Amino acid sequence: MSLKNIYRQKRFGILVISIWILVAILAPILAYSPNESNYFLPPLVPYGEHTIDYKNAQSVSPFETQNVNSFYSRHWLGTDELGRDVLAQLIHGSNTALLVGFCSILIASFIGIFLGLIAAFFGDHQWEITRRKMLSSLLSVILLFTFLLSIVPWTIEGVNTSEKTFLTIVFFIFTLLFFYILNFLMKKYSSRLLQQKILIPLDSILSRLIESIEALPLLLLLIAFSSLISPSILSLILMISLVAWSGIAKFTRAEVLRLKSSNYIDNAKSLGYGDFRTMIKHILPNALPTLSVSIAFAISSAIMLESTLSFLGLGLQASDASWGALMASARNDYSSWWLAVFPGIAIFLVVYSCNSIADFISKDDHSGYSKRT
Amino acid sequence: MLLYFIKRLFLFIPTLFIITLFVFALLQFSGGDPALNALERSYQESYDISNDAKKIRAYRKSNNLDLPTFYFSVQRLSSCDTLYRFPFAAERSRAEALAYATGDWSLIARLDDEIKKRLNREQSDTKASHLLMEILTAKSITQIKASFAQLSLTERNDGLDELVNELNCNHWRIKNYIPTIRFHGISNQYHLWLTEILNGNFGNSYIDRLPVSIKIKEALPITLIISLCALLIALCIAIPLGIYAAYYQNGWLDKICSQLFFTFYALPTFWVATLLVVFFGAGDFLEWFPVYGIGNPPEEANLLEKFKIYSAHLALPIFCYLYGGLAYLFRHIRRSTLEELKQDYITSAMAKGLSIHAILWRHSFKKSSFPLITILGSALPALISGSFVIEYIFSIDGMGLLMLEAFFSRDYPMILSLLLLGAVLTLFGMWLADLLYSFADPRVEIDDSKKYHKG
């Protein structure tokens, strides 16, 4: 199964996604008001996301006669209540969707793949560390959290960001130093008890963690987060990645458990390869095709979540164009159907394409990839 | 094996304990002021600004908000140790900012005491009292100094000037970077809340002072009706279609259903719901269905009329509810039926000459329906929590809308109870599913490492 194969079978999905990515990247050039900014090319849509066309306020339908000068400056998909062009908002909203969908899942898959990999690979009976290291790392983590949560002045008014950043970095370095010094001192002076090795049931711990995150309803968790934290794209990305990693980790764990019992891993072990080399070079590349399924599904669900949150008014600030927020404006005025229809089509197409590609890979997986191993 | 399930039931306790801690911490870091929210809400009834402070104090006292949050707290050495006693958010942020700026809260406390003493001596509405008030509300050292400079132009300030001069002495502010643990004993918000919960009292909602349990009791049946109807209909559609699609694999039924349900899966619920409202409800197109609430039939209406009214109101929400799940159920049943059909016992049943419907339903479905138990178990919390979006769009006063309202207005007792309820239901659903599964399919063995082995 190669990219070429996917392209042949799922031409529509690939086409939609590449158009979406292209539009999202080129959004500032595609839709801007010539009065506000100027690029070397005339825009496709002569309205920005915030440009208010006073002559066409109060939700003008795309089929109505519009109060515009020329064919070029017509509102092809209508306007919203304030007179903002729907198409321009759609174009800029694709930017938000791309950013949230890809960045959050990028972070989530880093966390998820890493944790799933080590949980499955080391299992419950392989990870041994000395009591001394355990103790010093626990103390350092506690120290770091104490510093980050209660010493760094996050909530205090009138403290500038550079001071907060500086303090955070200083505390990180300080904790690292603390860890090494503590470890060193214990190594030199401590009793036998601390030098003993103990088993860490890594798999059990991580599985419990994954289970407990899966246990809480996702949307409930996100709504709880977003009603508590001031909304911005960054916080939205962090929130979604914090809840989305568990699914990817679960998937990774199952896949790595399956691969771990194959012959070539045994061979790698008997050749004396290190754990991390085996994990990164031998297991991960073979697990990736299957993982890409869960990642693609995760991207589509992240986009869905972002638009749902924005629809409920919890996602982003009003200044960020978003497909969900655009649809929320249809709720104020049910007769302007174009506000509901077009953003929905955009969301549907993107989500459908991601899903269909993921579905295709998952079906193809058994024929294509198991042969290579 | 029963012992295993009982053991797992006891494992709920630490998990729930951790969840309460987590939720409580989340609320603490969230900011926002429930007392102020409640006050703003009461303004809509009667506008009376004169006893704001009194009201807020009383409110905080009655809701235990004037107590420390937890058994202990980790703070900067410089910070104010009784921050929770300040009734106003502005006072709290001022205390924090000044303590951080000077590196010593006691200095600010002494200054404030001195100024309050002076204020009592001054007549009100003089320029001096005005400046003193300015110092009491100033949020930075420079502001304090500016007000003080003006004050010292007019009169002598015996104790004050030393204190104000001291403000800038501490350039290193080392106390800001030293953490301390402060213990508050059992008279704290978390402890009181937990004991109340253990006594079965979930507290009163901040919004309308009604007990949380009553509000949940009112909302629960509505959500349950909708979600159970949706679930039943989805099962009735998905099971036969899934089974026959698997039997006629790659036939027209299979292709159409797979494609259709796959498309459904990608449709955002809120979009479908909005479109339904726009095109079949309140828009300019077809006004077939009412789109607000669940209907309110008159008392004397007979059963048929009541049913008519309710079903007209609930048709659209139920449709929105079920279409997304259809794809999931359909795929699951189709896949497991496909697997079953490859088994030997199906071949032997066919060889025996049983009709294909009998084989599909009596033999294959019986086995392939076991995984459905797990799905239904994990759907339990979703059944009860409802869907925020659907209830929001159709204005149904169910659990979803209750949660949204609680989150929007920082109704702490409500949020805590609902999150706790969600967690309990999720854990219980998983537990119940495992239990039922092991009864339904005795081949499943659960060994010590808590993993299933089918054998």
Side-chain angles (χ1 to χ4, degrees), chain B residues 94-373:
Chain B
R94 171 185 180 264
E96 271 190 295
L98 283 182
Y100 188 75
T102 55
D104 193 359
W105 165 249
S106 60
L107 200 65
I108 302 294
R110 267 187 290 153
L111 183 75
D112 282 1
D113 278 345
E114 199 67 31
I115 286 173
K116 275 174 194 159
K117 264 185 220 160
R118 284 281 298 273
L119 258 178
N120 285 338
R121 271 187 273 140
E122 296 284 342
Q123 262 97 42
S124 56
D125 275 348
T126 59
K127 199 187 174 201
S129 74
H130 207 72
L131 286 169
L132 285 171
M133 278 308 288
E134 243 172 50
I135 296 180
L136 268 185
T137 51
K139 278 189 177 177
S140 67
I141 300 180
T142 42
Q143 276 176 24
I144 291 184
K145 289 207 149 180
S147 308
F148 186 73
Q150 283 187 39
L151 189 69
S152 52
L153 286 180
T154 52
E155 54 191 294
R156 270 182 57 242
N157 298 291
D158 16 297
L160 272 179
D161 44 358
E162 287 159 29
L163 279 172
V164 173
N165 282 336
E166 243 179 274
L167 286 180
N168 251 7
C169 289
N170 216 343
H171 284 296
W172 277 87
R173 305 181 316 201
I174 192 73
K175 276 185 176 177
N176 279 338
Y177 310 117
I178 303 174
T180 49
I181 300 182
R182 291 182 173 129
F183 292 96
H184 303 296
I186 59 164
S187 164
N188 60 54
Q189 286 182 41
Y190 180 74
H191 185 83
L192 291 175
W193 175 73
L194 202 64
T195 42
E196 288 286 289
I197 291 276
L198 291 179
N199 288 332
N201 180 7
F202 287 86
N204 293 352
S205 163
Y206 284 173
I207 299 178
D208 44 16
R209 304 289 175 96
L210 280 174
V212 168
S213 47
I214 286 184
K215 287 186 87 171
I216 291 180
K217 248 180 229 158
E218 275 173 10
L220 198 57
I222 299 171
T223 302
L224 266 185
I225 286 174
I226 297 176
S227 48
L228 280 181
C229 281
L231 186 70
L232 274 182
I233 297 172
L235 283 177
C236 289
I237 296 174
I239 289 176
L241 283 181
I243 287 175
Y244 284 106
Y247 181 64
Y248 301 108
Q249 194 189 359
N250 295 329
W252 58 269
L253 181 77
D254 186 24
K255 275 182 184 154
I256 290 177
C257 287
S258 298
Q259 198 55 43
L260 189 72
F261 290 144
F262 193 71
T263 314
F264 275 0
Y265 191 65
L267 288 170
T269 317
F270 60 100
W271 184 46
V272 174
T274 315
L275 283 192
L276 287 177
V277 169
V278 168
F279 287 108
F280 295 112
D284 294 342
F285 298 90
L286 302 162
E287 291 187 21
W288 287 354
F289 297 98
V291 290
Y292 196 85
I294 60 157
N296 195 10
E299 287 284 320
E300 65 276 6
N302 61 23
L303 214 61
L304 192 70
E305 278 170 20
K306 271 186 184 170
F307 177 74
K308 255 185 189 168
I309 292 176
Y310 280 132
S311 57
H313 279 87
L314 293 182
L316 293 183
I318 286 178
F319 175 75
C320 292
Y321 225 111
L322 75 92
Y323 83 86
L326 269 183
Y328 186 67
L329 284 174
F330 171 79
R331 294 191 121 206
H332 207 92
I333 291 160
R334 179 177 172 273
R335 196 172 49 218
S336 54
T337 310
L338 269 180
E339 252 166 45
E340 287 308 320
L341 286 179
K342 283 180 201 150
Q343 304 284 324
D344 288 341
Y345 73 95
I346 299 288
T347 321
S348 69
M350 280 185 180
K352 231 166 48 173
L354 273 181
S355 82
I356 188 62
H357 303 288
I359 293 175
L360 284 178
W361 286 100
R362 243 182 280 152
H363 296 263
S364 119
F365 176 63
K366 210 172 171 184
K367 252 186 91 189
S368 61
S369 65
F370 291 149
L372 277 182
I373 296 172

Side-chain angles (χ1 to χ4, degrees), chain A residues 140-349:
Chain A
S140 322
V141 168
I142 291 174
L143 189 76
L144 185 68
F145 269 90
T146 317
F147 277 139
L148 288 188
L149 290 180
S150 56
I151 302 288
V152 180
W154 302 113
T155 55
I156 290 178
E157 286 174 36
V159 180
N160 49 11
T161 326
S162 57
E163 191 174 338
K164 292 174 197 166
T165 326
F166 174 72
L167 279 178
T168 313
I169 295 168
V170 166
F171 286 142
F172 263 108
I173 297 169
F174 179 72
T175 321
L176 218 62
L177 276 178
F178 175 79
F179 173 73
Y180 281 117
I181 292 171
L182 198 68
N183 212 0
F184 175 76
L185 287 178
M186 281 190 188
K187 202 174 182 179
K188 257 193 152 170
Y189 301 110
S190 74
S191 63
R192 282 277 278 295
L193 189 72
L194 281 177
Q195 307 288 5
Q196 274 172 5
K197 284 194 168 179
I198 47 170
L199 211 64
I200 294 183
L202 202 63
D203 194 25
S204 300
I205 294 173
L206 288 175
S207 304
R208 235 344 89 68
L209 189 67
I210 293 169
E211 255 174 41
S212 49
I213 286 188
E214 298 260 293
L216 283 168
L218 200 78
L219 196 60
L220 181 75
L221 211 63
L222 274 182
I223 289 176
F225 274 140
S226 53
S227 64
L228 304 178
I229 301 165
S230 66
S232 70
I233 287 197
L234 189 69
S235 67
L236 200 65
I237 288 172
L238 287 181
M239 272 175 347
I240 292 181
S241 54
L242 272 183
V243 290
W245 70 265
S246 63
I248 297 173
K250 207 168 76 177
F251 224 91
T252 314
R253 184 177 164 272
E255 181 65 13
V256 174
L257 276 181
R258 193 176 69 82
L259 288 175
K260 218 177 97 178
S261 54
S262 19
N263 282 331
Y264 71 94
I265 300 298
D266 289 340
N267 292 346
K269 266 185 200 160
S270 61
L271 282 172
Y273 289 170
D275 286 340
F276 275 90
R277 178 173 172 165
T278 320
M279 269 199 287
I280 304 295
K281 273 192 114 172
H282 301 278
I283 292 186
L284 199 58
N286 286 303
L288 267 184
T290 325
L291 292 187
S292 60
V293 178
S294 78
I295 291 174
F297 274 124
I299 288 176
S300 70
S301 67
I303 292 165
M304 201 90 118
L305 273 177
E306 183 267 324
S307 51
T308 308
L309 284 177
S310 306
F311 178 77
L312 291 173
L314 289 165
L316 294 168
Q317 277 151 347
S319 59
D320 296 306
S322 155
W323 292 341
L326 191 56
M327 266 176 67
S329 55
R331 250 180 79 76
N332 301 330
D333 179 14
Y334 280 126
S335 52
S336 40
W337 53 269
W338 55 96
L339 288 178
V341 171
F342 298 120
I345 289 176
I347 298 170
F348 167 71
L349 282 179

